[in-house]
Amino acid sequence: MSTPSADIGVIGLAVMGRNLALNLADHGFRVAAYNRTTSVTDEFVAAHGDTRGGLLGCRSLETLVRRLKPPRKIAVLVRSGPPVDAVVRGLLEAGLEPEDIVVDCGNSLFTDTIRREREYAGRLRFFGSGVSGGEVGARFGPSLMPGGAPEAWEHLRPLWEAIAAKVDPRTGEPLEDYAPGRPVTGGEPCTAYIGPDGAGHFVKMVHNGIEYIDMQLIAEAHHLLGAVGGLGLEEQSRVFADWNRGDLRSYLVEITADILRQRDPVNPRRFLLDVVLDAAEQKGTGRWTAQQALELGVPANAIAEAVFARSLSALKDERVTASRALRGPKRAPRPARGRLVAQVRQALYCAKICAYAQGFQLMRAAQAEHGWQIDFGRLAAIWRAGCIIRARFLQRITEAYRRDPALVNLALDPFFRKALHAGQDAWRHVVGLAARHGIPAPALSSTLSYYDGYRAARLPASLLQAQRDYFGAHTYERLDAPRGTAFHLDWPDPERPQHRA
């Protein structure tokens, strides 16, 4: 029998699994790699046999289990849902023991992670870890969001901190060196323990929900610059590149500048974006985020609008038919380009503040529901590099929660409050421009509605509650009575109010 020599196992050698395995090996960890299709394992090990830590190809789960040092640590990167359970059952049959740790690194629904931790308790330690950054992040430094038993985290921590993206601890700027075999050294790792059971996968889900709204806001800014301002794609590319040097600096703004100037490889005389079908797909994490907001009663309307915008875009044939039948507004005057660019930038920044505020409000509600204790400042810090929403903006969020760990809403932080006050006139003007020109801007509009609703001391919900009492005797509270005291009116005779304890 071979002596156990591998530090960690990786199951699933598609793009993310391969790259995470190579990242681990680059950092000196010996990796036992397994894929259900054995030829994939053989080809992978043959192509990358010169890594620093080394790769051990395993043709069976039994072999993988034998080659791992105890307590065994196994990262699973397979499709979420039943495939995860199938892998875990296979590992148990292969000889996994109660102290061994199985880490689900996929985009699993957090409730599945909670269920699995309970179901497999006593037979192995199930752990969930969000992984963000796409294939480049997995290869050279992702943002990692681990959730599970604290004692399991202590075994994983040296590996996760080694392979995670790094930032300069003074500035929060990413430290990058995208070269195989040359890992980034020093800096602050973009990983931290999130909390027990499904906490890691929950914050990864919210990360993806924020990603949806961030992308939608950028898409709307692009649409307005082109349809209202008349800026061509190359000119827009320069605008986004300029924005990426300021407070909007982010990975998504950076790649938008690249995408806008990309020529079509089929016909280089035109731009690629002009021939990309305008029907966005989705894998479900944004929808899960919106569903959780509804379940927990959190007003994450902008995140939901980003999901609905993708759903609407998918109705391509219907939209083409409707474009011939439904009339829009009369052509409005085109604003000055320079002024429009400045206003859209301010609107984008203000909307981004409110979008992130909704995501953090949702996580705040979830921790109360599930008994987690999430360090929101630390969470924002681990999103500063490696993940898809990495941005200079996240350093500001990190600082906001360092100033006030109990901050209930990002909009109330002094820095963000000042930014909202300074930019709201431009934001309102841009939303109005979109309406006057017939340009859909659901994310910019819904974030503005959220801002106005959140800052309103009184809302027309008083009428809603009165309506509910009228047709369903659901009762109402009064401003001049203690909270929690219910009243009901006998509506056919409004002179006789009745009190209900």
Side-chain angles (χ1 to χ4, degrees):
M1 182 181 291
S2 59
T3 303
S5 60
D7 300 294
I8 186 169
V10 173
I11 295 177
L13 298 176
V15 172
M16 290 295 286
R18 286 199 309 269
N19 285 340
L20 200 68
L22 290 171
N23 189 354
L24 285 158
D26 276 352
H27 285 83
F29 299 109
R30 196 162 176 80
V31 180
Y34 170 82
N35 196 79
R36 188 174 60 175
T37 305
T38 55
S39 60
V40 172
T41 306
D42 296 341
E43 291 165 7
F44 173 64
V45 174
H48 302 283
D50 57 349
T51 56
R52 182 180 160 205
L55 299 170
L56 299 173
C58 301
R59 290 178 145 257
S60 70
L61 291 177
E62 289 79 8
T63 302
L64 180 137
V65 168
R66 286 198 306 269
R67 288 187 164 182
L68 290 169
K69 301 173 187 175
R72 301 174 182 93
K73 297 171 283 293
I74 303 171
V76 178
L77 293 106
V78 299
R79 196 171 70 251
S80 62
V84 176
D85 289 295
V87 168
V88 177
R89 287 193 296 269
L91 286 168
L92 286 168
E93 292 170 2
L96 236 55
E97 298 176 342
E99 294 303 306
D100 296 333
I101 304 162
V102 175
V103 190
D104 179 6
C105 295
N107 275 335
S108 288
L109 184 60
F110 79 100
T111 49
D112 285 343
T113 306
I114 294 172
R115 186 261 303 168
R116 288 179 180 123
E117 185 185 59
R118 293 172 181 167
E119 182 177 333
Y120 300 120
R123 292 185 286 170
L124 56 80
R125 290 185 284 185
F126 191 85
F127 200 90
S129 181
V131 179
S132 180
E135 56 184 288
V136 173
R139 179 67 184 88
F140 300 108
S143 174
L144 298 165
M145 293 150 264
E151 55 272 22
W153 166 239
E154 289 309 313
H155 290 288
L156 292 169
R157 184 173 184 165
L159 291 85
W160 258 225
E161 289 186 346
I163 67 171
K166 308 295 190 298
V167 295
D168 184 321
R170 298 165 301 162
T171 65
E173 290 295 314
L175 302 175
E176 297 175 339
D177 189 359
Y178 293 159
R182 196 170 67 200
V184 173
T185 57
E188 185 179 321
C190 288
T191 187
Y193 179 68
I194 304 299
D197 50 64
H201 275 142
F202 189 92
V203 301
K204 175 56 166 62
M205 177 195 73
V206 175
H207 165 283
N208 285 21
I210 293 172
E211 180 184 311
Y212 271 54
I213 181 61
D214 221 341
M215 293 171 70
Q216 180 64 28
L217 287 167
I218 290 170
E220 291 176 17
H222 145 68
H223 196 179
L224 285 161
L225 292 176
V228 176
L231 279 72
L233 294 179
E234 208 152 22
E235 193 173 359
Q236 288 187 47
S237 175
R238 290 193 292 271
V239 167
F240 276 93
D242 179 61
W243 288 352
N244 198 48
R245 289 187 281 268
D247 52 15
L248 283 172
R249 180 179 173 182
S250 70
Y251 172 70
L252 288 171
V253 169
E254 177 187 350
I255 67 170
T256 298
D258 291 342
I259 291 166
L260 289 165
R261 65 170 174 264
Q262 175 64 49
R263 293 282 175 172
D264 179 11
V266 176
N267 180 0
R269 288 177 295 180
R270 63 190 178 192
F271 290 96
L272 177 64
L273 205 56
D274 287 331
V275 294
V276 174
L277 180 69
D278 56 320
E281 298 178 356
Q282 50 185 310
K283 290 187 175 180
T285 47
R287 187 165 59 248
W288 289 348
T289 309
Q291 288 169 344
Q292 278 302 304
L294 288 169
E295 288 287 334
L296 295 172
V298 176
N301 58 316
I303 294 173
E305 284 291 356
V307 176
F308 293 143
R310 292 196 188 193
S311 300
L312 184 60
S313 78
L315 303 178
K316 175 64 175 177
D317 294 339
E318 289 184 43
R319 289 189 292 107
V320 170
T321 301
S323 71
R324 303 188 190 106
L326 301 177
R327 186 183 304 152
K330 293 180 180 178
R331 186 180 296 273
R334 180 165 285 173
R337 288 189 174 194
R339 187 180 178 201
L340 177 67
V341 168
Q343 289 173 330
V344 172
R345 183 193 67 77
Q346 287 182 289
L348 182 57
Y349 191 71
C350 288
K352 188 179 176 85
I353 294 170
C354 288
Y356 277 68
Q358 292 177 23
F360 278 82
Q361 270 192 308
L362 177 55
M363 291 186 289
R364 184 181 176 86
Q367 76 166 357
E369 178 76 10
H370 298 284
W372 301 330
Q373 291 295 324
I374 301 173
D375 183 338
F376 294 119
R378 190 74 190 95
L379 175 60
I382 70 174
W383 284 350
R384 291 176 297 178
C387 67
I388 301 302
I389 65 171
R390 60 186 182 266
R392 176 174 290 171
F393 183 82
L394 283 154
Q395 177 66 16
R396 297 295 192 182
I397 297 179
T398 301
E399 293 166 357
Y401 281 107
R402 283 175 182 166
R403 281 190 292 270
D404 181 5
L407 182 66
V408 297
N409 191 297
L410 283 175
L412 298 177
D413 172 73
F415 175 85
F416 290 121
R417 187 169 71 239
K418 182 178 179 182
L420 288 166
H421 292 171
Q424 68 167 304
D425 286 348
W427 190 10
R428 296 180 190 284
H429 184 72
V430 166
V431 170
L433 272 178
R436 285 193 293 276
H437 285 261
I439 304 299
L444 287 166
S445 301
S446 62
T447 47
L448 180 58
S449 291
Y450 170 83
Y451 174 72
D452 283 336
Y454 191 69
R455 66 176 189 82
R458 186 159 172 80
L459 289 168
S462 53
L463 177 58
L464 299 181
Q465 198 59 23
Q467 289 171 331
R468 294 180 73 245
D469 188 57
Y470 191 107
F471 64 69
H474 293 295
T475 76
Y476 58 91
E477 294 180 69
R478 294 178 57 92
L479 290 172
D480 55 3
R483 287 298 304 265
T485 305
F487 293 85
H488 168 64
L489 186 68
D490 186 1
W491 288 96
D493 186 359
E495 297 301 320
R496 292 188 303 158
Q498 297 176 1
H499 171 269
R500 284 193 181 178

